[in-house]
Amino acid sequence: MARPKTYDLSEAEQRDLFALIQQGKALPEKYRFILFEDKREVELVWNGKTRDVCTTVLPFQTLEHIDEPRTETKAPVQVAMAR
C-alpha cells in the first residue's frame, strides 16, 4: 500500500485548511501549488487579482486606405502689384 504524501505545512496552516474544508469554503491560492503537483499550468497570481471575466464591447473603427496618389491641380497664383 502506498504511503500518503506529507506536506510541508505548519500546525496553524493545517488547522486553517481543515476548518476551511469543514466549512465548505474555497482554499486560498497559496495552497494550490503545495497540495496539487500538476506543474503543467502556469498562472500569474498577485494580491487583488480577481477571477472575474470582463467582456467589453468596443466600437469598431474603419480606416480608409488610399493607395493612389492624389492628382492636385494648382490654381494659378495672381499677384497684384501695388502702384
Side-chain angles (χ1 to χ4, degrees):
M1 179 172 209
R3 204 173 133 190
K5 182 173 174 141
T6 59
Y7 301 101
D8 188 25
L9 297 172
S10 68
E11 294 283 330
E13 290 174 323
Q14 290 178 19
R15 281 193 306 271
D16 291 342
L17 283 174
F18 290 140
L20 290 171
I21 292 170
Q22 288 174 342
Q23 295 170 8
K25 294 184 178 178
L27 300 180
E29 284 290 322
K30 71 177 188 175
Y31 296 115
R32 187 173 80 173
F33 297 109
I34 296 171
L35 300 175
F36 306 105
E37 290 187 14
D38 190 6
K39 305 280 190 225
R40 293 177 290 168
E41 182 180 342
V42 176
E43 178 182 358
L44 293 174
V45 180
W46 60 86
N47 289 339
K49 179 179 176 185
T50 63
R51 296 223 177 258
D52 298 339
V53 177
C54 178
T55 55
T56 305
V57 178
L58 299 174
F60 291 101
Q61 181 180 10
T62 304
L63 299 176
E64 182 180 352
H65 295 282
I66 301 174
D67 295 331
E68 299 175 8
R70 293 185 196 171
T71 55
E72 295 181 12
T73 57
K74 293 185 180 183
V77 178
Q78 296 180 355
V79 178
M81 295 180 70
R83 293 189 185 189

